[in-house]
């Protein structure tokens, strides 16, 4: 894209800004937005699971007498009723589901909270009452739910998952360089388990229309639901339709097929009527993936000025007995700074829980907490300002491969953030800054990074004689504003009003869908739409740029509708990746950018206040500056970062999924005990963007934002806590007892 083209595109987007602030806002605030569980077809029945109350073992008997006697009960489904369901396979092993284990197929109990039966009734009240009356008898087995418990099994990732992109990162001689370093940091950091707890619960409706199964369920991967259900039920994918115009909160929890859906489809087929299931909050803590416990030993070696000479990052991550979640913690810790000697090691500790999975910035958030805490410890030991030390260690090229970055503006993020925050006024000594009320004040900084990923996407544009354009894209609206970004892109390119553009996402009846996650949704979709716009202009017979009278161009073509379609994918991804997208499977590899490495970057500055009498930490303000390439949608981008900061406050100070080693499972499985931040916990948040297009990466200049926005928030807060108290937090969340 030339400078002139860039300038014209920018002018068109600015002109459209006023009417494209958020295209789904009216639907959301008026209640017109339809989520999966909002679908209530005539004759719908209601389901409720029965879950295991032991940590591990087998079901020896199920007494359903009292449950069956509840008025309105229609069906009780368990392994005793031969549900005839095949496993869907693990999403990271050529499958579709969040784990390889499919409950209700046998009497085995792998973890507390696992579904062992499904009750269906005319009403939700009856289904709930009956589910509580099912009595199970168990033969129990020993189990382990903590990293250090007896009975766990530890495996090395590069041996258990021998794939090149999962191999341990090793550059230079990290151990030797560390031993020779004048300044050394050696510390262990731990991030506890977390759950996504989105406002919108897991749930949906399954109904049969002849031989076609129609599913309404909020999902980040309607393609996986379609392909997985076809595999599980032994039917053609063409006979499965999945509709999810709005996902609601997801954050990784809804990124694949979950175990309730196939039994729901079986129940609907046996009853000959639609069946709805909305999981109670407590059930969602066991019915889907979660962020696993991870323990990090970080060793940093530096010269006396704080110049990094070596880094060693060793990680132990929780796993289930039946699956290993591929870990990539060291992908960012090996690249955040110019470290020429680096060694990573990633291990999995098998426990008796459901398979952990992806929660916003799944590996990068805890990895950044470990590394950025250690960097702060190094800055303190070297007597250097933490911002200055980070700038002194900035990387000009990727230290792992030696390739240049497509763009890297981390230093600009740090400098602008420091200016906005007023960092120059920081007193360096811990405990030296005080608020008027006597509370100690702490200022902390941390950086973050996230790889720029691109996946196969099909985009179809339909231009009508009325001047409207319908955009059909294989993406999902999870609240991140992808529909707004799509409307802005089309309206801005064609020079038409946003009201003339309609985006359709999350519907397998329209186009095939790849999983939307990893912050790749917007940039991957925009890449496909950009290609489809070039095709549409050609089919309309209009110039390759400039405003278009869509209605006149369509009429001149002699047809009622002009359709253009494009399929794009990331560089280095094999052609089979597109076939996998069409099948609802995850792209197996890539992208591999020729000659470059692509990351988004961010810097966070946090202020905390701590009452010395009762050391409760309050985050009073945060400044975040992001390098995400061109900002595709300013309003939704700002909201993404603000939301991530709130996430980071929760991760740093309150969010923790508690396990009971005596019984297994997660015990604080509700919003009363799983403590998330509320308005009173959140101070002032200021967000800014470098907003430099990355045309080396792609023609749109857009990188990624949704995941990187969280990376570094927690360590910025933890570093501020150290500055306020002189006590170094090394585990998340930071508790009052850590500061006593």
């Amino acid at each position: 894209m030339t400078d002139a083209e860039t300038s014209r595109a920018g002018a068109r987007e600015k002109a459209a800004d006023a009417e494209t602030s958020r295209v789904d806002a009216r639907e959301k605030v008026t209640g017109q937005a339809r989520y999966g569980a909002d679908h209530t077809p005539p004759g719908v029945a209601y389901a409720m699971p029965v879950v295991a109350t032991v940590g591990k073992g087998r079901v020896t008997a199920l007494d359903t007498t009292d449950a069956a006697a509840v008025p309105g009960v229609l069906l009780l489904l368990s392994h005793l009723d031969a549900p005839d369901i095949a496993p869907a396979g693990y999403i990271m092993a050529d499958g579709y589901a969040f784990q390889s284990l499919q409950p209700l197929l046998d009497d085995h109990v792998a973890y507390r909270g696992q579904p062992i039966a499904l009750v269906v009734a005319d009403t939700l009240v009856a289904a709930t009452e009956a589910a509580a009356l099912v009595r199970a008898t168990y033969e129990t087995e020993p189990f382990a739910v903590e990293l250090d418990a007896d009975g766990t099994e530890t495996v090395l990732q590069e041996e258990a998952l021998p794939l090149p992109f999962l191999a341990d990162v090793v550059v230079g001689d990290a151990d030797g360089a560390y031993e020779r370093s004048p300044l050394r940091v050696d510390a262990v950091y731990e991030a506890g388990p977390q759950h996504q707890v989105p406002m919108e619960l897991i749930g949906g409706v399954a109904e049969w229309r002849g031989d076609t199964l129609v599913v309404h369920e909020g999902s980040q991967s309607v393609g996986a639901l379609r392909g997985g259900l076809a595999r599980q039920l032994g039917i053609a994918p063409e006979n499965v339709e999945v509709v999810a115009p709005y996902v609601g909160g997801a954050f990784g929890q809804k990124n694949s097929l979950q175990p309730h859906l196939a039994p729901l489809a079986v129940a609907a087929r046996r009853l000959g009527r639609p069946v709805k299931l909305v999981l109670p909050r407590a059930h969602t803590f066991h019915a889907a993936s979660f962020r696993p416990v991870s323990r990090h030993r970080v060793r940093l070696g530096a010269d006396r000025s704080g110049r990094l000479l070596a880094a060693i990052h060793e990680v132990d991550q929780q796993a289930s007995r039946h699956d290993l979640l591929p870990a990539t913690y060291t992908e960012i810790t090996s690249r955040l700074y110019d470290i020429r000697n680096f060694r990573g090691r990633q291990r999995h500790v098998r426990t008796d829980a459901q398979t952990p999975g992806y929660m916003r910035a799944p590996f990068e958030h805890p990895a950044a907490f470990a590394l950025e805490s250690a960097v702060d410890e190094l800055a303190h030991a070297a007597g250097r300002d933490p911002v200055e030390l980070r700038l002194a260690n900035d990387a000009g090229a990727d230290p792992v491969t030696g390739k240049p970055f497509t763009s890297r503006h981390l230093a600009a993020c740090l400098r602008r953030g420091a200016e906005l925050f007023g960092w120059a006024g920081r007193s360096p000594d811990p405990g030296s800054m005080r608020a008027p009320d006597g509370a100690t004040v702490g200022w902390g900084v941390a950086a973050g990074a996230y790889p720029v990923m691109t996946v196969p996407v099909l985009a179809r544009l339909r231009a009508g004689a009325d001047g409207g354009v319908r955009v059909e894209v294989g993406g999902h609206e999870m609240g991140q504003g992808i529909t707004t970004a799509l409307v802005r892109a089309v309206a801005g390119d064609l020079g038409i009003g946003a009201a003339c553009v309609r985006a359709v996402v999350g519907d397998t009846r329209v186009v095939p869908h790849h999983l939307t996650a990893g912050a790749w949704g917007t940039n991957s979709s925009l890449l496909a739409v950009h290609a489809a716009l070039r095709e549409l202009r050609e089919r309309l017979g209009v110039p390759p740029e400039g405003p278009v009278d869509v209605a006149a161009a369509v009429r001149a073509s002699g047809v009622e509708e002009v359709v253009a379609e494009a399929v794009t994918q990331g560089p280095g991804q094999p052609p089979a990746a597109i076939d996998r997208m069409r099948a609802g499977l995850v792209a197996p590899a890539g992208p591999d950018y020729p000659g470059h490495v692509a990351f988004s970057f961010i810097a966070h500055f946090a202020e905390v206040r701590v009452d010395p009498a009762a050391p409760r930490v309050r985050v009073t303000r945060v400044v975040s500056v992001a390098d995400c390439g061109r900002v595709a949608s300013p309003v939704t981008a700002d909201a993404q970062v603000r939301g991530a900061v709130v996430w980071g406050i929760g991760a740093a100070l309150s969010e923790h999924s508690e396990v009971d080693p005596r019984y297994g499972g997660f015990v604080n499985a509700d919003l009363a005990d799983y403590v998330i931040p509320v308005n009173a916990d959140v101070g002032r948040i200021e967000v800014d963007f470098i907003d430099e297009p990355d045309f080396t990466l792609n023609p749109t200049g857009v990188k990624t934002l949704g995941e990187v926005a969280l990376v570094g928030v927690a360590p910025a807060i933890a570093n501020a806590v150290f500055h306020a108290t002189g006590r170094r937090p090394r585990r998340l969340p930071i508790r009052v007892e850590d500061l006593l």
Side-chain angles (χ1 to χ4, degrees):
M1 187 177 282
T2 66
D3 290 342
E5 290 171 331
T6 302
S7 176
R8 284 191 290 270
R12 289 196 298 268
E13 287 188 5
K14 287 179 181 177
D17 271 350
E19 56 176 321
T20 58
S21 57
R22 181 122 197 180
V23 300
D24 56 354
R26 182 172 296 275
E27 285 192 350
K28 287 191 171 184
V29 300
T30 58
Q32 297 178 64
R34 306 300 292 173
Y35 299 87
D38 290 334
H39 184 62
T40 308
V44 66
Y46 296 85
M48 185 60 60
V50 179
V51 300
T53 57
V54 298
K56 189 176 182 180
R58 53 182 293 267
V59 179
T60 57
L62 274 175
D63 183 351
T64 60
T65 305
D66 292 343
V70 173
V73 169
L74 304 170
L75 177 68
L76 289 104
L77 191 66
S78 73
H79 69 280
L80 301 173
D81 303 292
D84 195 23
I85 299 170
Y90 180 37
I91 185 175
M92 299 308 294
D94 272 340
Y96 298 94
F98 93 86
Q99 64 178 2
S100 59
L101 174 67
Q102 171 62 51
L104 306 191
L105 301 190
D106 56 33
D107 61 3
H108 176 58
V109 175
Y111 52 89
R112 185 181 180 91
Q114 174 188 316
I116 57 173
L118 186 74
V119 178
V120 185
D122 282 325
T123 66
L124 178 59
V125 171
T128 303
E129 179 184 353
L133 293 174
V134 174
R135 301 287 179 256
T137 304
Y138 304 96
E139 180 181 287
T140 61
E141 300 174 18
F143 60 89
V145 291
E146 297 179 305
L147 290 187
D148 298 322
D150 293 338
T152 59
E153 177 193 1
T154 301
V155 296
L156 188 64
Q157 173 162 289
E158 66 178 7
E159 294 178 356
L161 300 172
L163 299 172
F165 75 99
L166 295 177
D168 288 335
V169 177
V170 178
V171 181
D173 176 17
D175 293 276
Y178 173 79
E179 291 299 328
R180 294 188 297 270
S181 298
L183 285 181
R184 286 179 285 187
V185 171
D186 184 350
V188 176
Y189 307 89
E190 185 168 303
Q194 290 182 308
H195 279 78
Q196 297 90 338
V197 294
M199 183 183 299
E200 294 81 9
L201 293 163
I202 295 170
V205 181
E207 56 186 309
W208 291 87
R209 297 176 186 169
D211 293 330
T212 298
L213 173 63
V214 181
V215 172
H216 288 77
E217 175 155 331
S219 176
Q220 297 171 240
S221 187
V222 294
L225 269 58
R226 177 176 182 255
L229 286 169
R231 178 184 290 183
Q232 289 195 282
L233 302 174
I235 60 178
E238 294 75 23
N239 287 348
V240 181
E241 298 176 357
V242 184
V243 184
Y246 286 98
V247 180
F251 317 115
Q253 187 182 68
K254 302 172 184 175
N255 73 352
S256 49
L257 180 66
Q258 290 163 335
H260 68 273
L261 204 47
L264 210 63
V266 170
R269 183 160 53 187
R270 292 189 181 183
L271 293 173
R273 58 193 286 188
V275 180
K276 175 185 283 193
L277 170 63
V278 178
L279 287 174
R281 177 70 66 187
H283 288 219
T284 66
F285 276 69
H286 302 95
S289 62
F290 65 100
R291 191 195 301 279
V293 182
S294 61
R295 184 175 294 157
H296 308 251
R297 183 184 178 191
V298 175
R299 282 169 280 178
L300 298 180
D303 64 20
R304 297 198 182 280
S305 72
R307 175 68 183 172
L308 285 164
L309 304 174
I312 302 167
H313 184 189
E314 298 175 325
V315 188
D316 286 343
Q317 172 187 271
Q318 180 183 13
S320 71
R321 298 286 184 184
H322 36 279
D323 301 305
L324 297 178
L325 171 68
T328 55
Y329 295 94
T330 58
E331 184 173 23
I332 69 156
T333 55
S334 60
R335 291 176 159 94
L336 200 52
Y337 299 108
D338 186 21
I339 306 173
R340 303 302 175 89
N341 299 284
F342 183 94
R343 177 175 65 78
R345 186 217 64 197
Q346 298 173 114
R347 301 192 305 182
H348 299 261
V349 183
R350 294 188 183 272
T351 63
D352 297 299
Q354 74 265 33
T355 299
Y358 297 93
M359 179 173 168
R360 195 176 195 178
F363 312 109
E364 295 75 14
H365 153 66
F369 167 64
L371 179 69
E372 286 297 270
S373 295
V375 168
D376 201 69
E377 297 199 39
L378 178 65
H380 183 70
R384 292 288 302 274
D385 177 85
V387 173
E388 290 179 0
L389 184 134
R390 286 170 170 81
L391 290 171
N393 284 284
D394 192 28
D398 174 30
V400 175
T401 64
K403 296 179 181 179
F405 292 99
T406 57
S407 67
R408 178 183 169 109
H409 302 292
L410 177 57
C413 292
L414 287 162
R415 291 190 177 100
R416 187 176 299 179
E419 180 182 357
L420 293 172
F421 192 81
W423 187 262
R426 177 181 184 266
S427 172
D429 295 331
S432 60
M433 297 175 67
R434 294 270 176 175
D437 63 359
T440 56
V441 177
W443 289 4
V445 61
Y450 194 88
V452 177
M453 293 181 279
T454 309
V455 297
V457 171
L458 187 151
R460 184 181 299 128
L461 303 179
R462 298 181 181 273
D466 61 354
V469 178
R470 174 176 158 124
V471 191
E472 302 169 350
V473 181
H476 302 80
E477 178 55 82
M478 304 180 293
Q480 83 279 36
I482 192 172
T483 50
T484 299
L486 294 170
V487 168
R488 280 175 52 85
V490 174
D493 185 279
L494 299 177
I496 61 179
C500 298
V501 183
R502 181 188 171 209
V504 179
V505 297
D507 193 332
T508 62
R509 299 170 301 180
V510 179
V511 293
H513 285 65
H514 190 279
L515 162 67
T516 299
W520 62 59
T522 299
N523 75 309
S524 297
S525 296
L526 288 180
L527 184 62
V529 167
H530 180 271
L533 281 165
R534 309 281 73 74
E535 177 69 16
L536 179 65
R537 284 176 172 274
E538 186 173 324
R539 289 176 179 249
L540 289 174
V542 299
E545 63 174 71
V548 177
D549 185 335
V550 174
V554 173
R555 287 194 298 268
S557 72
V559 296
E560 287 297 311
E561 182 180 68
V562 175
V563 181
E565 183 176 297
V567 180
T568 56
Q569 63 185 105
Q573 289 177 325
I578 294 174
D579 296 333
R580 292 177 66 87
M581 175 267 290
R582 293 181 184 277
L585 293 164
V586 175
D592 182 11
Y593 302 99
H596 294 87
V597 173
F599 282 80
S600 292
F601 298 93
I602 198 163
H604 300 283
F605 294 77
E607 177 184 272
V608 303
R609 298 193 179 190
V610 183
D611 185 338
R616 178 178 179 269
V617 179
R618 292 181 296 118
V619 179
T620 48
R621 64 189 180 107
V622 174
V623 171
S624 302
V625 182
D627 164 27
C628 58
R630 181 175 69 85
V631 179
S633 173
V635 169
T636 56
D638 183 271
Q640 280 275 46
V641 179
R642 291 178 185 275
V645 170
V646 176
W647 266 65
I649 293 171
L653 301 179
S654 62
E655 291 189 44
H656 189 270
S657 301
E658 304 286 349
V659 297
D660 190 327
R662 300 170 300 172
Y663 306 111
F666 298 98
V667 298
N668 59 330
D670 56 54
L671 290 180
D673 295 319
Y674 185 88
V675 184
I676 60 174
V678 297
N679 286 345
D681 300 313
V682 180
R684 181 162 58 91
I685 301 172
E686 186 173 355
V687 176
D688 200 5
F689 299 94
I690 301 303
D691 200 15
E692 287 285 345
D694 187 343
F695 294 125
T696 301
L697 180 67
N698 60 50
T700 69
V702 175
K703 295 203 285 188
T704 62
L705 179 62
E707 305 272 2
V708 76
L710 174 62
V711 184
V713 179
I717 294 170
N719 294 338
V721 169
F722 170 76
H723 183 234
T725 66
R727 293 185 177 272
R728 177 67 64 181
R730 292 199 179 101
R731 64 174 179 174
L732 296 179
I734 304 165
R735 302 181 185 272
V736 170
E737 55 265 33
D738 296 330
L739 306 179
L740 292 174

